[in-house]
Amino acid sequence: MPALRVTNHGSSRPDPVYQIAFADHESLFATEHGTLRLAAAELVISNAAVPAEWTVDQPYTAVAIHIEERLIRRHIPDPMALVGMNLELPTALNDILVRIMNTCVAGPRLGEFSATSRNVACAFLNLLAMSPRALAREKRAERNADFRRAQIKTFIQENYARPGLSMEDVAAHLGVTTRYIHRVLAPDGLTPSEYLRRCRLSAARRLLSSPTFADHSITEIAFACGFASSSHFSTEFRKRFDRSPRSYRQSTLPEGVPPAAPGRAR
């Protein structure tokens, strides 16, 4: 093909497809992050949502494949961060990926590719995920998720006693979405609501076994830990600790502890 300059002004609509391409001559790929000078057969990733300009100043041949976002995210958590960036691929790995892409182009012409296209795409993405930049982004994403997980847990631990505390409250305080909170806590095998409930139950268990709170009724302790009713608290306590709050209190309070004030059952 003759020399060209392709300009993408960026789309305001989310694009679920990523393009991975290369040309057989040197080229320039410019985005708001800067200009990337590509060697012949060096891969670059683009997305319609990101303004970019690709310039090849001599006749060339290019190969491009399009991969859906939901598929690419199974292998690369943050593909948008790779758009228009130097992938830092070792020469041998770049060569393997180029060969796979050429196979993707040649296969349909022979009527042989459709049955294996998804397997080839997965193999391609598995290799692409080994690139230094993709690995670095994944590690940074993991560190950020760990930091956010700690923030979320700390906020819940400090505010569990607030009546009606919701995940919307947590999300608003941290400047994230409730969906993000669910995703960040997922590796612990708990939903945000379950973690909040555990914090409340653990706090209640501490108060029930504390001589300092011996003259507080179970209902008062339930309210102090953020529960809306003593019956709900008793049900959840039994589920968690396999005994009632009253039974737990009777078995853990030291002997000689003064009884509860009149009219305030323990």
Side-chain angles (χ1 to χ4, degrees):
M1 297 179 66
L4 93 165
R5 175 176 294 166
V6 177
T7 301
N8 165 37
H9 296 287
S11 171
S12 60
R13 305 173 70 178
D15 194 331
V17 176
Y18 287 79
Q19 175 180 280
I20 304 173
F22 70 88
D24 62 352
H25 288 289
E26 291 184 356
S27 60
L28 297 177
F29 193 92
T31 67
E32 60 183 6
H33 301 297
T35 299
L36 180 64
R37 184 175 296 277
L38 298 168
E42 182 177 354
L43 271 60
V44 66
I45 300 177
S46 61
N47 182 280
V50 178
E53 186 175 82
W54 195 9
T55 304
V56 187
D57 61 5
Q58 58 185 304
Y60 72 99
T61 297
V63 173
I65 60 174
H66 296 82
I67 300 179
E68 292 183 356
E69 181 175 20
R70 63 181 179 178
L71 177 57
I72 200 171
R73 281 189 179 276
R74 293 181 184 178
H75 304 269
I76 301 172
D78 188 10
M80 190 61 77
L82 303 184
V83 171
M85 304 298 290
N86 184 343
L87 300 178
E88 302 174 358
L89 292 167
T91 302
L93 180 55
N94 191 90
D95 182 60
I96 292 172
L97 294 173
V98 165
R99 290 172 184 270
I100 293 176
M101 291 176 64
N102 283 328
T103 300
C104 293
V105 172
R109 295 175 182 170
L110 301 174
E112 299 173 346
F113 188 67
S114 59
T116 59
S117 58
R118 189 173 184 84
N119 290 336
V120 172
C122 289
F124 180 91
L125 291 174
N126 275 323
L127 291 172
L128 183 61
M130 295 171 61
S131 67
R133 184 170 291 279
L135 289 172
R137 291 295 306 185
E138 184 173 2
K139 290 177 180 177
R140 284 196 290 271
E142 288 177 356
R143 288 198 296 270
N144 183 61
D146 289 341
F147 174 72
R148 282 298 198 179
R149 188 179 301 114
Q151 279 188 317
I152 291 166
K153 287 184 173 182
T154 298
F155 183 79
I156 292 175
Q157 290 165 5
E158 293 176 348
N159 294 275
Y160 65 83
R162 284 171 47 183
L165 178 68
S166 68
M167 288 309 106
E168 285 75 14
D169 297 329
V170 180
H173 178 79
L174 297 177
V176 299
T177 64
T178 55
R179 182 179 180 182
Y180 180 82
I181 292 176
H182 278 268
R183 181 160 60 85
V184 168
L185 291 184
D188 289 346
L190 293 172
T191 67
S193 296
E194 288 171 340
Y195 185 75
L196 172 59
R197 184 163 53 250
R198 288 195 177 188
C199 286
R200 287 173 167 168
L201 289 171
S202 295
R205 184 171 63 169
R206 289 194 299 272
L207 298 186
L208 288 170
S209 61
S210 170
T212 303
F213 287 83
D215 63 343
H216 286 64
S217 70
I218 290 176
T219 297
E220 288 174 323
I221 287 177
F223 289 161
C225 294
F227 287 94
S229 72
S230 59
S231 60
H232 178 238
F233 164 62
S234 296
T235 299
E236 294 299 330
F237 193 93
R238 187 183 293 275
K239 285 181 182 178
R240 177 68 175 151
F241 302 115
D242 199 29
R243 61 198 309 181
S244 69
R246 185 180 302 278
S247 172
Y248 179 80
R249 167 176 260 183
Q250 290 173 345
S251 67
T252 56
L253 277 178
E255 292 184 8
V257 173
R264 302 171 67 182
R266 286 194 286 176

